[in-house]
């Protein structure tokens, strides 16, 4: 019978710092025994223990330190930072993982198997990114909590007040930013995988004839470092936009640099002679019953159109960024 | 929900708010009874007899906390069959108690004035 009380006391004191365990044990035991008759039966003991309440809750009242990891005042900031870092990190790691596949010629000839392995590593890496973000952000906030409170670092002052939320026209919607970042990264990687892997998936498929790839692998490979750079820039820009949430001179400048760089890259690639494989042009010409030269001319016209679209698109992005920034400062 | 005429009183909410109301006065109540040494259960009974509602699982940790804050002094009585931890006001405790008592009286006056204004 005594056992119930012993076990209760153990459950309470095991949650307390070592230096107070013995004393609390003695004190609480004598308090509980005072509430019982001289030779209590089990039912009586149980009733008193139930009145005392759950050991976990009681231990919280005895414990000298507050029982939470992240304090309520820091919690909102914690969630915000967590969201941004988790998204950025998972996109980054997912991109890297897929790159590894593009570089290494793992897997066999089957396009479907390769595609599945790309998707699986994308998802796994994205998940890893989220888990890592959780760990590091939580650790960082715990440190701020612990060391900051010790040294009284967390003081608020009117100087630290945030800017007013912008009106709708000037806010950068985070869902747009994220969708944009994720999709452009994903499609760039898919494009690179499709052109650099063996067998290449971006190609002309025809039953009974060998698959003819569209892009010249050599040329794409030469541009690979630029593509990697663009992906990194995309992620940086996405991160900036998420953190700031509104247009500013800094973000407009970053957007301009990015748009210019990707337009230049796009134009440089498109105008490279020999970008499209001769085999593809020949096959296409055959099917449409024109000569290879005529087809090449059509391709050139197409390229010119693409150049115009790319440049116009970039200019449009830049003008839009500038206008929104100006509105912000009004 | 209990119906009382046209009004429905949320018993849960009422119970919580009453606990909140009492919580502010607990330390004062405890300090007031410790001019002479008492142990946990004796203080619990003493307060109950005087109509102060307090639960055992609130009182016992509170006594420890007041001691950590330097307001009480403790001593273990190992003479009787059951060893007991006795608490009594320290010098600092006595001073703080007097100050709290004045504060309580002025708060009461303030609240009563508010009630008076409302014609309650």
């Amino acid at each position: 019978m005594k056992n119930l009380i012993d076990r209760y006391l153990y459950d309470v004191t095991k949650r307390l710092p070592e230096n107070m365990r013995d004393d609390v044990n003695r004190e609480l035991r004598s308090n509980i025994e005072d509430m019982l008759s001289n030779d209590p039966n089990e039912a009586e003991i149980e009733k008193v223990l139930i009145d005392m309440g759950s050991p976990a809750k009681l231990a919280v009242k005895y414990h000298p330190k507050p029982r939470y990891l992240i304090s309520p005042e820091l919690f909102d900031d914690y969630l915000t930072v967590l969201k941004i870092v988790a998204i950025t990190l998972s996109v980054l790691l997912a991109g890297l993982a897929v790159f590894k596949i593009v570089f290494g010629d793992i897997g066999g000839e089957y396009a479907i198997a390769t595609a599945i392995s790309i998707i699986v590593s994308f998802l796994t890496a994205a998940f890893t990114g989220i888990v890592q973000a959780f760990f590091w952000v939580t650790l960082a906030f715990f440190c701020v909590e612990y060391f900051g409170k010790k040294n009284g670092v967390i003081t608020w002052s009117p100087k630290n007040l945030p800017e007013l939320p912008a009106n709708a026209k000037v806010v950068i919607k985070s869902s747009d930013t994220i969708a944009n970042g994720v999709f452009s990264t994903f499609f760039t990687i898919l494009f690179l995988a499709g052109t650099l892997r063996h067998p290449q998936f971006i190609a002309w498929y025809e039953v009974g004839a060998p698959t003819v790839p569209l892009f010249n692998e050599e040329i794409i490979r030469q541009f690979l470092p630029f593509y990697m750079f663009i992906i990194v820039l995309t992620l940086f820009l996405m991160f900036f936009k998420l953190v700031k949430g509104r247009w500013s001179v800094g973000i407009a400048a970053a957007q301009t640099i990015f748009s210019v760089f990707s337009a230049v890259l796009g134009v440089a690639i498109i105008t490279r002679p020999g970008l499209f494989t001769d085999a593809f042009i020949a096959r296409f010409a055959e099917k449409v019953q024109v000569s290879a030269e005529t087809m090449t001319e059509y391709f050139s016209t197409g390229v010119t159109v693409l150049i115009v679209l790319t440049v116009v698109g970039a200019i449009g992005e830049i003008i839009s960024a500038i206008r929104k920034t100006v509105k912000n400062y009004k | 929900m209990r119906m009382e005429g046209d009004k429905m009183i949320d018993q849960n909410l009422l119970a919580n708010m009453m606990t909140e109301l009492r919580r502010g006065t607990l330390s004062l109540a405890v300090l007031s009874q410790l001019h002479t040494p008492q142990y946990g259960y004796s203080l619990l009974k003493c307060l109950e007899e005087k109509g102060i509602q307090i639960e055992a699982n609130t009182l016992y940790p509170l006594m420890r906390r007041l001691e950590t804050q330097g307001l009480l002094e403790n001593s273990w009585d190992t003479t009787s069959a059951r060893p007991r931890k006795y608490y009594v006001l320290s010098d600092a405790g006595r001073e703080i108690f007097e100050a709290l008592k004045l504060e309580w009286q002025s708060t009461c006056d303030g609240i009563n004035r508010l009630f008076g204004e409302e014609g309650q």
Side-chain angles (χ1 to χ4, degrees):
Chain A
M1 279 196 306
K2 259 277 173 106
N3 205 242
L4 273 182
I5 301 182
D6 289 337
R7 285 157 63 199
Y8 185 86
L9 290 173
Y10 170 64
D11 200 359
V12 173
T13 53
K14 78 181 191 203
R15 300 163 195 268
L16 299 174
E18 242 190 273
N19 58 13
M20 55 188 302
R21 272 185 211 155
D22 278 340
D23 197 54
V24 172
N25 198 312
R26 287 170 79 196
E27 190 181 350
L28 194 52
R29 180 187 299 277
S30 90
N31 284 329
I32 290 180
E33 285 174 353
D34 279 340
M35 296 194 278
L36 294 165
S37 62
N38 269 338
D39 195 12
N41 59 26
E42 202 167 303
E44 200 186 326
I45 297 182
E46 271 192 34
K47 179 176 182 314
V48 167
L49 289 184
I50 290 178
D51 280 344
M52 282 304 291
S54 96
K57 282 197 175 153
L58 188 56
V60 169
K61 292 187 182 173
Y62 272 112
H63 207 291
K65 296 232 178 81
R67 313 317 290 147
Y68 49 65
L69 189 59
I70 311 249
S71 67
E73 66 218 17
L74 286 181
F75 194 63
D76 291 309
D77 288 336
Y78 168 72
L79 288 179
T80 311
V81 172
L82 188 58
K83 205 167 84 164
I84 297 180
V85 173
I87 291 170
T88 310
L89 207 55
S90 69
V91 171
L92 184 67
L93 289 187
L96 284 176
V98 177
F99 259 128
K100 271 197 189 164
I101 294 205
V102 166
F103 267 120
D105 268 340
I106 326 164
E109 308 291 306
Y110 301 103
I112 299 224
T114 316
I116 291 185
S117 81
I118 290 185
I119 293 178
V120 167
S121 37
F122 188 85
L123 291 176
T124 311
F127 180 70
T128 306
I130 294 178
V131 169
Q132 288 282 331
F134 237 110
F135 176 75
W136 293 107
V137 173
T138 306
L139 185 63
F141 268 81
F142 172 73
C143 288
V144 169
E145 185 80 52
Y146 188 74
F147 297 114
K149 291 254 164 92
K150 267 191 168 176
N151 304 327
V153 162
I154 309 181
T155 39
W156 173 89
S157 104
K159 295 198 182 67
N160 296 342
L161 286 172
E163 294 285 325
L164 278 179
N167 64 52
K169 294 217 176 89
V170 157
V171 151
I172 307 179
K173 280 178 70 183
S174 58
S175 50
D176 282 352
T177 313
I178 295 173
N180 207 313
V182 168
F183 280 117
S184 66
T185 307
F186 186 67
F187 282 113
T188 308
I189 293 182
L190 209 55
F191 168 74
L192 291 172
T195 48
L196 296 177
R197 274 209 46 107
H198 298 237
Q200 305 176 344
F201 354 120
I202 304 183
W204 181 286
Y205 293 96
E206 201 181 324
V207 175
T211 314
V212 184
L214 171 59
F215 292 102
N216 187 327
E217 188 189 326
E218 269 314 301
I219 298 194
I220 302 289
R221 207 173 274 280
Q222 283 169 21
F223 280 97
L224 189 57
F226 294 99
Y227 272 114
M228 289 171 66
F229 189 58
I230 281 270
I231 291 186
V232 171
L233 277 190
T234 310
L235 290 175
F236 259 117
L237 193 57
M238 179 180 88
F239 186 77
F240 256 127
K241 284 181 174 173
L242 282 178
V243 167
K244 291 287 180 178
R246 62 200 303 205
W247 288 98
S248 68
V249 174
I251 299 205
Q255 174 76 61
T256 307
I257 294 178
F258 178 79
S259 300
V260 167
F261 192 83
S262 20
V264 166
L265 181 62
V267 170
I269 295 182
I270 293 222
T271 52
R272 205 81 156 109
L275 173 67
F276 303 107
T277 55
D278 291 331
F280 188 95
I281 297 188
R283 175 70 63 81
F284 197 9
E286 210 183 295
K287 286 295 155 186
V288 191
Q289 292 180 348
V290 296
S291 70
E293 291 84 24
T294 320
M295 184 52 70
T296 313
E297 274 173 37
Y298 288 155
F299 267 68
S300 297
T301 317
V303 163
T304 314
V305 170
L306 280 176
I307 294 181
V308 171
L309 287 178
T310 308
V311 171
V312 168
I315 294 183
E317 265 179 2
I318 298 178
I319 293 186
S320 159
I322 296 184
R323 285 178 70 209
K324 290 196 178 145
T325 308
V326 165
K327 277 210 188 116
N328 192 15
Y329 285 110
K330 276 230 166 81
Chain B
M1 295 273 212
R2 179 173 73 108
M3 305 285 277
E4 226 193 16
D6 282 343
K7 287 180 297 173
M8 284 203 290
I9 299 182
D10 180 348
Q11 289 301 310
N12 254 334
L13 179 60
L14 184 59
N16 282 338
M17 293 185 83
M18 282 187 168
T19 306
E20 277 298 314
L21 190 59
R22 273 179 240 128
R23 186 175 306 166
T25 58
L26 284 182
S27 297
L28 185 58
V30 167
L31 291 175
S32 75
Q33 299 305 297
L34 289 178
H35 287 91
T36 52
Q38 300 220 41
Y39 59 94
Y41 189 64
S42 72
L43 185 56
L44 186 69
K45 282 285 135 202
C46 172
L47 290 172
E48 272 179 16
E49 275 158 26
K50 306 224 165 123
I52 305 287
Q53 289 193 42
I54 184 170
E55 296 198 9
N57 60 24
T58 307
L59 179 61
Y60 300 149
L62 177 59
M63 290 167 83
R64 271 192 91 86
R65 188 147 291 155
L66 291 172
E67 199 227 331
T68 313
Q69 293 167 327
L71 304 179
L72 301 175
E73 283 164 359
N74 78 65
S75 53
W76 275 95
D77 171 17
T78 42
T79 56
S80 61
R82 201 172 271 171
R84 291 198 174 106
K85 191 173 182 185
Y86 280 79
Y87 289 92
V88 76
L89 281 178
S90 66
D91 292 330
R94 258 187 292 271
E95 282 182 38
I96 292 224
F97 170 65
E98 293 302 324
L100 279 180
K101 215 166 120 183
L102 288 175
E103 182 62 29
W104 166 256
Q105 276 153 358
S106 94
T107 306
C108 258
D109 291 340
I111 300 265
N112 285 331
R113 250 175 274 133
L114 289 176
F115 288 161
E117 276 171 19
E118 295 226 329
Q120 283 280 340

